[in-house]
Amino acid sequence: MVVVTTIRREVLTLPAAELGPGNPLPPLRPLDETHRIDERDRRELPPDMARQIGHAPLRSVLPERIRDGYGRTRAPREMPALVIENDRLRATVLPGCGGRVVSLFHKPSARELLYRNPVLQPACFALNGAWFSGGIEWNIGATGHTALSCAPVYAARVTAPDGGDMLRLWEWERLRDLPFQVDLWLPEGSDFLYAGVRIRNPHERTTPLYWWSNIAVPEDRRVLAPADAAWQFGYERRLRRVPVPADGGTDQTYPGNSTYPGDWFYEIPDGRRRWIAALDDAGDGLVQTSTDTLRGRKLFVWGTGPGGRRWQEWLTEPGTGGYCEIQAGIARTQLEHVPLDAESEVSWLEAYGPLGADPGTALGPDWAAALAETEARLETALPRADVDAAYARWLPCADTEPGEMLATGSGWGALEVLRASYKLPGTPFDESTLGDVQAPWRELLETGSFPEPRRVGPPGESLVARPWRDMLETAPARPLTEYHLGVAQWHAGDRAQAVRSWERALELAPSQWPLLRCLAVADQQEGHHERAADRYAEAFDDLCRERRDDGTAWTAATAALGREAIDALLTARRPAAARAVWERLRPRTRERGRFRLIEARLLLAEGDREAARAVFDAGFEVADLREGAEAIGELWARLTDAPLPARYDFRMRPPAD
């Protein structure tokens, strides 16, 4: 048999905003998670769903750092891409962006099956900030978009089950400390892209597991999944069971019928084939199906309201058309985490491809007939038994060692393998990938001592898992060691001990501002806002004395600490001190949209309502505006009774009663 599948490197050029530097301050505050439910609803849920919603929710994004250094200025940029192709399909993957499949092109019909974003514009939707819309993304970690959304993953050529080429993507997910892989291949003559997914728990403890494959498709579609009910969730944080397709007389399977953004998690009966499809008015579109382990299916819509339309513009370019997302996950809803037993693994197979159905039936009012028609067409195009058989053929290949390396991820997996001697066939984390950011932790592992820096600068990343915390506790109690130990203790919930570690470090630390900032956050969490303001002011003074240049690291640290300090000082009703911090920010920092919003708040606190309103009138864009955030509208309402201008309207929920 002649195998025609190929994998090749390409360069994809897109108008893209630079990611910029990450935030150098460890994220100590509770996760700002919009996907929480009202406690009133929990009592009405099925017991297993309620249990999994309450199972080990993520409290912070440590050891990750927040990625908020991007802007809104786009320019043509070249991005390494990997293309896997047969005579029917062509899939384009960005290994530098979490392994995102940004395009799935069907050659016979000359159709793009996904929503392909014409730009790459980061926005604050990932758990750690930067994320962009479009394509197929692999979400692992916790409720929300993965922290790997804009991070590199490993990629290599591997032998596929049919003897051809398969593209393997893998990384070490740091929020849950789980290695995972996604194997993409196209059998000869197939109209379907296969994705074999495996997640391993190498630890001697049970670990919470979260996975959703998110597929962006044009929103002028009907979305079908084999269910007569769904769990509907909106940004008012209510989870309720609703009928499908019509809820309150409105057919919600058409994204254009929703006013506000929302999720529909379909209740697929046990034993029913798992699939979801998005079909246009001719009955053509994309279908995703899988083996039964990937049980959940979901529709996300932006809605037709002004806030949803503004977000659509924000994530792409005006006039390019909107999108919705069809998704597949390990649980019924994205609010749940399931336990993955110690030293075990879970795996499944997904398939993505074109589907055509009779539009009169698939798009008609008879929901049972629409599902029967669509599922019959799917069974003809890709029988359920063939998916199960492909999974059985792939599973023995999951351990196959990679051949040609095509992209390199981070060194954090290599550090964990070095620490624990994990055996992970098929997904090597080679020692050669260890870099400068891992170097001090490697020294701690090998010598029992964490090195002090040779020159003063913002501290590096902290590791917070129990084994690293134990090593820090027995290492010589130097200032930087105590700083990292305090971060790890804080993450573990031992706040009193964390404060003691930071206070001990203050006595000898040549650089005090990182410690003072940690102590200020601790004060805020305990409600001591005056003391927090004092410490923030002292920390910012110390940073300004210490910073050595206008380079990226110091500018990012000054911006991050200054932003928090101003907020703390305004909370304590000390606008003069907040103004003193503002004046020492770099001019290019003050010009950023986030800081223009801060300036308007500062002016209002100083009593200059007219100047604050002038900031809005001049216009600004908060590049890192958080999904679900309402800070702009709330400040506007304090300035005027006028309607919120459309350019600032990002509201994702109905007005409160």
mmCIF file with all atom_site columns, all heavy atoms in Angstrom, residues 242-253:
data_model
loop_
_atom_site.group_PDB
_atom_site.id
_atom_site.type_symbol
_atom_site.label_atom_id
_atom_site.label_alt_id
_atom_site.label_comp_id
_atom_site.label_asym_id
_atom_site.label_entity_id
_atom_site.label_seq_id
_atom_site.pdbx_PDB_ins_code
_atom_site.Cartn_x
_atom_site.Cartn_y
_atom_site.Cartn_z
_atom_site.occupancy
_atom_site.B_iso_or_equiv
_atom_site.pdbx_formal_charge
_atom_site.auth_seq_id
_atom_site.auth_comp_id
_atom_site.auth_asym_id
_atom_site.auth_atom_id
_atom_site.pdbx_PDB_model_num
ATOM 1  N N   . VAL A 1 242 ? -32.140 22.372 30.779 1.00 0.00 ? 242 VAL A N   1
ATOM 2  C CA  . VAL A 1 242 ? -33.103 22.931 29.835 1.00 0.00 ? 242 VAL A CA  1
ATOM 3  C C   . VAL A 1 242 ? -33.354 21.918 28.726 1.00 0.00 ? 242 VAL A C   1
ATOM 4  O O   . VAL A 1 242 ? -32.511 21.060 28.446 1.00 0.00 ? 242 VAL A O   1
ATOM 5  C CB  . VAL A 1 242 ? -32.598 24.258 29.227 1.00 0.00 ? 242 VAL A CB  1
ATOM 6  C CG1 . VAL A 1 242 ? -32.383 25.307 30.309 1.00 0.00 ? 242 VAL A CG1 1
ATOM 7  C CG2 . VAL A 1 242 ? -31.315 24.037 28.428 1.00 0.00 ? 242 VAL A CG2 1
ATOM 8  N N   . PRO A 1 243 ? -34.503 22.000 28.075 1.00 0.00 ? 243 PRO A N   1
ATOM 9  C CA  . PRO A 1 243 ? -34.765 21.103 26.947 1.00 0.00 ? 243 PRO A CA  1
ATOM 10 C C   . PRO A 1 243 ? -33.984 21.521 25.705 1.00 0.00 ? 243 PRO A C   1
ATOM 11 O O   . PRO A 1 243 ? -33.622 22.690 25.542 1.00 0.00 ? 243 PRO A O   1
ATOM 12 C CB  . PRO A 1 243 ? -36.276 21.246 26.737 1.00 0.00 ? 243 PRO A CB  1
ATOM 13 C CG  . PRO A 1 243 ? -36.598 22.615 27.256 1.00 0.00 ? 243 PRO A CG  1
ATOM 14 C CD  . PRO A 1 243 ? -35.660 22.853 28.400 1.00 0.00 ? 243 PRO A CD  1
ATOM 15 N N   . VAL A 1 244 ? -33.729 20.578 24.835 1.00 0.00 ? 244 VAL A N   1
ATOM 16 C CA  . VAL A 1 244 ? -33.079 20.813 23.542 1.00 0.00 ? 244 VAL A CA  1
ATOM 17 C C   . VAL A 1 244 ? -34.007 20.261 22.462 1.00 0.00 ? 244 VAL A C   1
ATOM 18 O O   . VAL A 1 244 ? -34.551 19.159 22.603 1.00 0.00 ? 244 VAL A O   1
ATOM 19 C CB  . VAL A 1 244 ? -31.698 20.096 23.492 1.00 0.00 ? 244 VAL A CB  1
ATOM 20 C CG1 . VAL A 1 244 ? -31.088 20.203 22.093 1.00 0.00 ? 244 VAL A CG1 1
ATOM 21 C CG2 . VAL A 1 244 ? -30.743 20.657 24.531 1.00 0.00 ? 244 VAL A CG2 1
ATOM 22 N N   . PRO A 1 245 ? -34.257 21.031 21.394 1.00 0.00 ? 245 PRO A N   1
ATOM 23 C CA  . PRO A 1 245 ? -33.540 22.234 20.990 1.00 0.00 ? 245 PRO A CA  1
ATOM 24 C C   . PRO A 1 245 ? -34.103 23.554 21.525 1.00 0.00 ? 245 PRO A C   1
ATOM 25 O O   . PRO A 1 245 ? -33.409 24.552 21.528 1.00 0.00 ? 245 PRO A O   1
ATOM 26 C CB  . PRO A 1 245 ? -33.678 22.198 19.473 1.00 0.00 ? 245 PRO A CB  1
ATOM 27 C CG  . PRO A 1 245 ? -35.036 21.596 19.244 1.00 0.00 ? 245 PRO A CG  1
ATOM 28 C CD  . PRO A 1 245 ? -35.172 20.551 20.318 1.00 0.00 ? 245 PRO A CD  1
ATOM 29 N N   . ALA A 1 246 ? -35.374 23.564 21.928 1.00 0.00 ? 246 ALA A N   1
ATOM 30 C CA  . ALA A 1 246 ? -36.037 24.821 22.263 1.00 0.00 ? 246 ALA A CA  1
ATOM 31 C C   . ALA A 1 246 ? -36.056 25.037 23.766 1.00 0.00 ? 246 ALA A C   1
ATOM 32 O O   . ALA A 1 246 ? -36.418 24.146 24.532 1.00 0.00 ? 246 ALA A O   1
ATOM 33 C CB  . ALA A 1 246 ? -37.455 24.841 21.711 1.00 0.00 ? 246 ALA A CB  1
ATOM 34 N N   . ASP A 1 247 ? -35.661 26.230 24.173 1.00 0.00 ? 247 ASP A N   1
ATOM 35 C CA  . ASP A 1 247 ? -35.738 26.643 25.573 1.00 0.00 ? 247 ASP A CA  1
ATOM 36 C C   . ASP A 1 247 ? -36.567 27.921 25.619 1.00 0.00 ? 247 ASP A C   1
ATOM 37 O O   . ASP A 1 247 ? -36.160 28.951 25.076 1.00 0.00 ? 247 ASP A O   1
ATOM 38 C CB  . ASP A 1 247 ? -34.332 26.884 26.124 1.00 0.00 ? 247 ASP A CB  1
ATOM 39 C CG  . ASP A 1 247 ? -34.341 27.377 27.560 1.00 0.00 ? 247 ASP A CG  1
ATOM 40 O OD1 . ASP A 1 247 ? -35.368 27.216 28.232 1.00 0.00 ? 247 ASP A OD1 1
ATOM 41 O OD2 . ASP A 1 247 ? -33.303 27.921 28.003 1.00 0.00 ? 247 ASP A OD2 1
ATOM 42 N N   . GLY A 1 248 ? -37.738 27.858 26.251 1.00 0.00 ? 248 GLY A N   1
ATOM 43 C CA  . GLY A 1 248 ? -38.610 29.023 26.286 1.00 0.00 ? 248 GLY A CA  1
ATOM 44 C C   . GLY A 1 248 ? -39.117 29.429 24.920 1.00 0.00 ? 248 GLY A C   1
ATOM 45 O O   . GLY A 1 248 ? -39.332 30.614 24.654 1.00 0.00 ? 248 GLY A O   1
ATOM 46 N N   . GLY A 1 249 ? -39.264 28.464 24.024 1.00 0.00 ? 249 GLY A N   1
ATOM 47 C CA  . GLY A 1 249 ? -39.789 28.746 22.694 1.00 0.00 ? 249 GLY A CA  1
ATOM 48 C C   . GLY A 1 249 ? -38.741 29.156 21.681 1.00 0.00 ? 249 GLY A C   1
ATOM 49 O O   . GLY A 1 249 ? -39.064 29.373 20.512 1.00 0.00 ? 249 GLY A O   1
ATOM 50 N N   . THR A 1 250 ? -37.478 29.276 22.093 1.00 0.00 ? 250 THR A N   1
ATOM 51 C CA  . THR A 1 250 ? -36.404 29.697 21.188 1.00 0.00 ? 250 THR A CA  1
ATOM 52 C C   . THR A 1 250 ? -35.476 28.527 20.917 1.00 0.00 ? 250 THR A C   1
ATOM 53 O O   . THR A 1 250 ? -34.987 27.873 21.846 1.00 0.00 ? 250 THR A O   1
ATOM 54 C CB  . THR A 1 250 ? -35.594 30.847 21.809 1.00 0.00 ? 250 THR A CB  1
ATOM 55 O OG1 . THR A 1 250 ? -36.465 31.943 22.069 1.00 0.00 ? 250 THR A OG1 1
ATOM 56 C CG2 . THR A 1 250 ? -34.490 31.299 20.862 1.00 0.00 ? 250 THR A CG2 1
ATOM 57 N N   . ASP A 1 251 ? -35.237 28.239 19.653 1.00 0.00 ? 251 ASP A N   1
ATOM 58 C CA  . ASP A 1 251 ? -34.356 27.137 19.269 1.00 0.00 ? 251 ASP A CA  1
ATOM 59 C C   . ASP A 1 251 ? -32.903 27.576 19.478 1.00 0.00 ? 251 ASP A C   1
ATOM 60 O O   . ASP A 1 251 ? -32.337 28.316 18.681 1.00 0.00 ? 251 ASP A O   1
ATOM 61 C CB  . ASP A 1 251 ? -34.593 26.753 17.811 1.00 0.00 ? 251 ASP A CB  1
ATOM 62 C CG  . ASP A 1 251 ? -33.861 25.484 17.417 1.00 0.00 ? 251 ASP A CG  1
ATOM 63 O OD1 . ASP A 1 251 ? -32.865 25.137 18.088 1.00 0.00 ? 251 ASP A OD1 1
ATOM 64 O OD2 . ASP A 1 251 ? -34.260 24.840 16.421 1.00 0.00 ? 251 ASP A OD2 1
ATOM 65 N N   . GLN A 1 252 ? -32.290 27.096 20.559 1.00 0.00 ? 252 GLN A N   1
ATOM 66 C CA  . GLN A 1 252 ? -30.947 27.514 20.919 1.00 0.00 ? 252 GLN A CA  1
ATOM 67 C C   . GLN A 1 252 ? -29.867 26.767 20.157 1.00 0.00 ? 252 GLN A C   1
ATOM 68 O O   . GLN A 1 252 ? -28.676 27.039 20.361 1.00 0.00 ? 252 GLN A O   1
ATOM 69 C CB  . GLN A 1 252 ? -30.733 27.319 22.433 1.00 0.00 ? 252 GLN A CB  1
ATOM 70 C CG  . GLN A 1 252 ? -31.694 28.101 23.305 1.00 0.00 ? 252 GLN A CG  1
ATOM 71 C CD  . GLN A 1 252 ? -31.455 29.601 23.259 1.00 0.00 ? 252 GLN A CD  1
ATOM 72 O OE1 . GLN A 1 252 ? -30.490 30.068 22.654 1.00 0.00 ? 252 GLN A OE1 1
ATOM 73 N NE2 . GLN A 1 252 ? -32.326 30.368 23.893 1.00 0.00 ? 252 GLN A NE2 1
ATOM 74 N N   . THR A 1 253 ? -30.244 25.826 19.278 1.00 0.00 ? 253 THR A N   1
ATOM 75 C CA  . THR A 1 253 ? -29.230 25.152 18.480 1.00 0.00 ? 253 THR A CA  1
ATOM 76 C C   . THR A 1 253 ? -28.744 26.018 17.328 1.00 0.00 ? 253 THR A C   1
ATOM 77 O O   . THR A 1 253 ? -27.801 25.638 16.624 1.00 0.00 ? 253 THR A O   1
ATOM 78 C CB  . THR A 1 253 ? -29.750 23.806 17.946 1.00 0.00 ? 253 THR A CB  1
ATOM 79 O OG1 . THR A 1 253 ? -30.840 24.042 17.051 1.00 0.00 ? 253 THR A OG1 1
ATOM 80 C CG2 . THR A 1 253 ? -30.208 22.912 19.099 1.00 0.00 ? 253 THR A CG2 1
#
